[in-house]
Amino acid sequence: MLEVNEIFGPTIQGEGKLVGNISIFIRFGKCNFKCVGFNVEYETPSGVKKCACDSYYAVDMEFKDSWKSYENHLDIVNITNKLLENYSYKNSVDVVITGGEPLLYWNNQEFQNLIKHYINKNQRVTIETNGSLNIDFKEDYQKKIIFSISVKLSNSLEPLKKRVNKSTLTKILQNTKESYLKFVIGDDFLENAIVEIEDILKNIPQCEVYLMPLGDNSKTIDDNSKEVVNLSIKYGFKYSDRLHIRLWDNKRGV
């Protein structure tokens, strides 16, 4: 069973190396992290106030009743096709599989069928993941996926052994050509972040690395972005803005 929080688009990719590309998003429910350190405040359907990441509605199981379950990947394909039926660029749109943590479904055959469907149609597929789960590459089409790996730092308040899996990072970077790492940083966590990032990069294959400002609204992104840009310049990393948040704050479905 594939548990999906939302399917939306076409819109633009707001962050990472493909920022600005027209994309369809398939957001899976469930995550193996809570990331309460990111301090996005929200209220559950039962009225409990919590803090988590900006995708809390795909992470917190209290929102599960709003997710939809699919037994067949073609049901998801039909929805994305319908979203694109009034557009002429069907085969050029990117497919972004996100969450939550979509790699929780990696060993699900229908999840693999979904990826294979789009790869076989020559559509670019990105999986946005925290990179912490163990996965194996058994099929050639899996090597055509772009993994956008948002490895969590200690500011997420997740334990080190849980959030950094160098074995998985190595497998992904060795088996795919365009995958990359990105790190979310606030202006109160600059130099410590660099120490942690440099340690994560040790003994894994070289790849592109992006630094991104922390925030779930345009003001917070503004407050953090200048220092993160300066940090990128100082240490030679790439900077990724979070354009979708600048445009729409944390509004869903855009």
Side-chain angles (χ1 to χ4, degrees), residues 126-141:
T126 296
I127 293 182
E128 297 183 334
T129 173
N130 59 41
S132 68
L133 298 172
N134 294 319
I135 65 170
D136 289 312
F137 289 80
K138 298 178 180 179
E139 305 290 342
D140 286 342
Y141 71 86

Side-chain angles (χ1 to χ4, degrees), residues 153 183-198 209-213 224-239:
L153 301 174
F183 298 93
V184 176
I185 302 172
D187 63 2
D188 60 344
F189 186 69
L190 298 171
E191 296 303 324
N192 287 341
I194 291 299
V195 172
E196 292 185 23
I197 291 169
E198 290 181 339
V209 177
Y210 291 80
L211 306 186
M212 303 192 307
N224 286 314
S225 59
K226 184 175 180 180
E227 293 299 333
V228 177
V229 167
N230 289 336
L231 199 68
S232 301
I233 294 169
K234 182 176 179 180
Y235 290 96
F237 295 120
K238 295 188 175 182
Y239 172 80

Side-chain angles (χ1 to χ4, degrees), residues 5 47 62 91 116 131 145 163 184 208 231:
N5 173 262
E62 285 206 43
N91 290 329
K116 188 176 182 179
I145 302 168
R163 58 185 168 80
V184 176
E208 292 179 288
L231 199 68

Side-chain angles (χ1 to χ4, degrees), residues 2 4 7 26 70 72-80 114:
L2 302 178
V4 176
I7 303 171
I26 304 169
Y70 299 93
N72 192 311
H73 75 284
L74 291 177
D75 293 331
I76 296 174
V77 170
N78 289 337
I79 294 172
T80 63
L114 182 69

